[in-house]
Amino acid sequence: MQLRDAPTTSAPKVPSAWALRAWLLRPAGAVPVAVLAVVLLARAAHVALVHPQGGMDNAFVVHAGQVWLHGGAPYADRRFLYLPSAVLFAAGQALLPLSVLRVAAPVVCVGLVAAGWWCAVRLFRVPARSRFAVLGLLGLVLCWAPVGHLVDLGNWTAVAVLALPAALLLADRGRWDAAGVVLGVSVAVKPLLVPVVVLLVLARRRRAAAWMVLLPVALSVTAAAVMPDPGGFFTRTLPFLLRGGDALMRPFDCSWPAVLPRLGVPRVLAGALAVAAAAAGLVCAWRRWRRADAGPARLAETAAMLMLASFLLSRPSYEHYLVVVVPLLLASTVTADPVTRSPWFWAALVPQVPDFTFPCLEAPTRRAFKDVVTLSGLALVLAVRCVRPTPRAGGPERDAPAADVPDPVS
């Protein structure tokens, strides 16, 4: 008589999604880190070789700093679009030798983007040396055009790319006043993150909001006191912005008030639609904040919604502004319920894949049509997420059991 096989118990199967998550959260190893370092250095070296002042946009602010150091009025140049406080930072760059500036500017720009990604992944408790952190930054640099454009231009938007996730990381850890200081310094350099003050108001963090507002005001007043014709910011710069810039800027502006008239929509109606869309985005951000769920997603998604709503309305809005928002949302990918779960999120990013072409949109002056698709798509995807009901506890978004998939985040 043959003995029957002894009954065996098989280990519970781990869902493939959690297996992939565990793999992404493990240390990356030396080779991916080395590849990332080479790519980042190559990106900065390319700009240093091509642009003597670290990028076209950086050249404008350096020129303004040079004018001020020589006793002139920075706002005589209409393309200096920053607050008076920014002149102090521009003057610091203008003091550098040209040989140092052309290398330092792109290296700092790349460093700010990398540091912003690090803060974003740490906000979601992802290890900085994980495969996801390393490969995610590599993918952003190689596969998403706005990052390359930001570095090529040397645009000061890179400061906001670091400041927003850094401030949210501080806020998530309860250091709201420090977050307000970081945001205030960023606004002093470039007022891109002004909409985030609404987040501080929603969170009822008055001192943090005061830091964010008063710091750039104090620096601007100080700079204006030693600047010829500081009123040029109100008499020349603001009217220039409200008119949508000049013929060099308008074709690249992807805000609704700029793009819709190019599609035949009357300007008044285009402005009204942009105001309505921005107001709807503000309501969605408020709704997202009221859904007081635990975790950093509440901070990240509310801030991102506020920024996207402002990009729809403000002039000018450029595609590299999206580098402030998209890495912050991508960093949530390995969490239980990320916004990147929606296929429409990825569809909105497709027009920004390098060398992506579409009939009749290959000319650089028509790039804004692709850019507005990405901007509007991301805003719509995030708006829908912000107003959705709170996910049920114990649903498919619940964490995997610790015995099945160890979580290296902690």
Side-chain angles (χ1 to χ4, degrees):
M1 185 175 65
Q2 296 180 347
L3 296 176
R4 296 177 179 268
D5 293 334
T8 59
T9 58
S10 58
K13 292 183 178 180
V14 176
S16 58
W18 290 111
L20 176 61
R21 177 178 183 269
W23 183 86
L24 287 171
L25 293 178
R26 294 192 182 102
V31 173
V33 172
V35 171
L36 176 62
V38 169
V39 168
L40 294 179
L41 290 175
R43 186 78 250 185
H46 169 75
V47 178
L49 292 173
V50 174
H51 302 286
Q53 289 186 304
M56 181 180 70
D57 289 356
N58 189 66
F60 290 140
V61 294
V62 170
H63 174 70
Q66 292 171 339
V67 169
W68 180 58
L69 290 174
H70 288 86
Y75 290 112
D77 184 355
R78 294 183 304 173
R79 292 197 179 92
F80 184 68
L81 307 176
Y82 307 99
L83 297 173
S85 55
V87 177
L88 303 174
F89 300 94
Q93 286 197 55
L95 291 172
L96 297 175
L98 190 60
S99 58
V100 174
L101 179 63
R102 71 183 304 164
V103 175
V107 169
V108 169
C109 191
V110 169
L112 290 172
V113 172
W117 173 250
W118 182 86
C119 290
V121 296
R122 293 305 300 141
L123 174 65
F124 289 96
R125 281 68 163 172
V126 176
R129 295 177 59 186
S130 64
R131 292 186 178 115
F132 175 77
V134 173
L135 298 178
L137 181 56
L138 187 63
L140 280 170
V141 176
L142 293 178
C143 304
W144 203 54
V147 175
H149 294 160
L150 176 65
V151 178
D152 288 342
L153 293 169
N155 194 278
W156 282 14
T157 298
V159 175
V161 173
L162 170 59
L164 182 57
L168 297 181
L169 180 61
L170 290 168
D172 183 60
R173 297 181 176 181
R175 301 176 61 185
W176 285 91
D177 290 351
V181 171
V182 170
L183 292 170
V185 172
S186 177
V187 171
V189 176
K190 182 172 183 175
L192 191 66
L193 296 183
V194 167
V196 183
V197 74
V198 177
L199 171 62
L200 303 182
V201 173
L202 291 174
R204 299 181 180 179
R205 301 291 176 170
R206 297 179 180 177
R207 286 194 305 179
W211 277 112
M212 183 179 177
V213 173
L214 296 179
L215 191 56
V217 168
L219 290 175
S220 292
V221 170
T222 301
V226 292
M227 181 190 304
D229 189 24
F233 175 77
F234 300 98
T235 59
R236 283 189 293 273
T237 302
L238 282 182
F240 180 69
L241 285 173
L242 293 175
R243 290 193 303 268
D246 54 16
L248 176 64
M249 298 167 58
R250 291 191 193 102
F252 302 95
D253 187 348
C254 65
S255 65
W256 281 20
V259 173
L260 292 181
R262 297 177 67 183
L263 297 174
V265 179
R267 291 189 178 276
V268 174
L269 179 58
L273 290 174
V275 170
L282 182 62
V283 171
C284 291
W286 172 70
R287 288 280 301 274
R288 179 63 184 93
W289 184 258
R290 285 191 62 197
R291 197 172 80 230
D293 51 317
R298 183 191 186 197
L299 285 167
E301 292 173 7
T302 303
M305 189 71 255
L306 291 169
M307 294 306 302
L308 290 173
S310 69
F311 295 159
L312 291 172
L313 176 63
S314 63
R315 299 192 67 180
S317 288
Y318 301 119
E319 42 86 50
H320 60 259
Y321 288 3
L322 295 174
V323 185
V324 178
V325 173
V326 170
L328 186 62
L329 298 177
L330 285 175
S332 69
T333 299
V334 294
T335 60
D337 183 30
V339 64
T340 55
R341 175 175 296 181
S342 170
W344 296 107
F345 176 89
W346 299 100
L349 299 183
V350 168
Q352 303 304 323
V353 173
D355 298 324
F356 172 82
T357 58
F358 197 82
C360 304
L361 298 183
E362 288 83 359
T365 55
R366 297 177 181 175
R367 195 182 72 197
F369 295 112
K370 295 197 299 183
D371 300 341
V372 76
V373 170
T374 297
L375 170 58
S376 303
L378 289 173
L380 181 59
V381 169
L382 190 56
V384 171
R385 180 177 177 85
C386 287
V387 300
R388 71 173 187 173
T390 304
R392 293 181 179 180
E397 293 86 3
R398 69 183 184 276
D399 291 337
D404 293 341
V405 180
D407 190 354
V409 174
S410 59

